[in-house]
Amino acid sequence: LSGMIDAAKEEFKIDLQESWVIGDAQTDIELGKGVNCKTIYLGENSNADHSVKSLKDAAEIVLSST
């Protein structure tokens, strides 16, 4: 899956260090960290940069970081 992210990075000129991966599985967070993205976990007890209870909360974090 990180190969798909790498391909998108090149094709669309994405700055992964300024990008976010939001997920509800630890593998989502591992993927995000593996490609140097900021991470938000939907739930609790994760090594993500942020953990939230809802997508609304995740959106507020992303929007407040710009």
Side-chain angles (χ1 to χ4, degrees), residues 6-48:
D6 290 335
K9 172 189 168 188
E10 295 302 317
E11 182 175 347
F12 300 107
K13 309 296 185 232
I14 298 169
D15 181 355
L16 293 179
Q17 291 181 337
E18 294 299 320
S19 299
W20 293 85
V21 171
I22 302 170
D24 63 352
Q26 191 57 39
T27 53
D28 299 328
I29 303 310
E30 291 167 6
L31 171 69
K33 291 202 171 280
V35 295
N36 295 316
C37 289
K38 300 170 197 168
T39 56
I40 300 176
Y41 182 71
L42 295 170
E44 297 177 2
N45 301 324
S46 173
N47 67 335

